[in-house]
């Protein structure tokens, strides 16, 4: 595990202290969770961009053309 020295604006620190007190977690746990959440969001974005590059509009349209052109059932309108 790595130790990290962090400079945080006083207003953010006050808000983090308030939230962690209410949630009964440590500031360390809060920051780890926030970093993990941000990493997850960025990795998801990267994955979706890579996946989109592999996509083919022509293949998509070919599959879509196989869907029957019917009206939806009453319960699905």
């Amino acid at each position: 595990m790595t130790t990290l020295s962090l400079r945080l604006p006083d207003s953010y620190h006050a808000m983090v202290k308030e939230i962690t007190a209410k949630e009964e977690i440590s500031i360390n746990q809060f920051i780890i969770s926030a970093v993990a959440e941000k990493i997850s969001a960025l990795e998801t974005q990267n994955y979706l961009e890579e996946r989109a590059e592999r996509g083919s509009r022509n293949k998509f349209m070919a599959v879509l053309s196989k869907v029957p052109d019917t009206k939806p059932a009453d319960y699905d309108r």
Side-chain angles (χ1 to χ4, degrees):
M1 197 161 294
T2 302
T3 301
L4 180 66
S5 178
L6 178 67
R7 290 194 175 142
L8 200 60
D10 293 339
S11 60
Y12 287 6
H13 185 229
M15 291 171 64
V16 168
K17 282 173 55 175
E18 184 179 319
I19 292 167
T20 57
K22 286 181 185 175
E23 297 294 320
E24 297 180 351
I25 60 172
S26 69
I27 290 176
N28 191 62
Q29 286 174 305
F30 178 84
I31 292 172
I32 289 170
S33 178
V35 169
E37 189 175 316
K38 182 64 176 185
I39 289 170
S40 176
L42 292 172
E43 287 299 310
T44 298
Q45 181 178 348
N46 290 340
Y47 168 78
L48 292 174
E49 287 171 356
E50 289 171 8
R51 185 68 180 96
E53 287 177 13
R54 295 192 325 248
S56 165
R57 182 158 183 82
N58 290 336
K59 288 180 182 178
F60 172 73
M61 295 307 289
V63 170
L64 194 61
S65 71
K66 295 178 183 179
V67 176
D69 186 21
T70 59
K71 291 183 180 180
D74 288 340
Y75 66 87
D76 203 21
R77 290 183 189 194

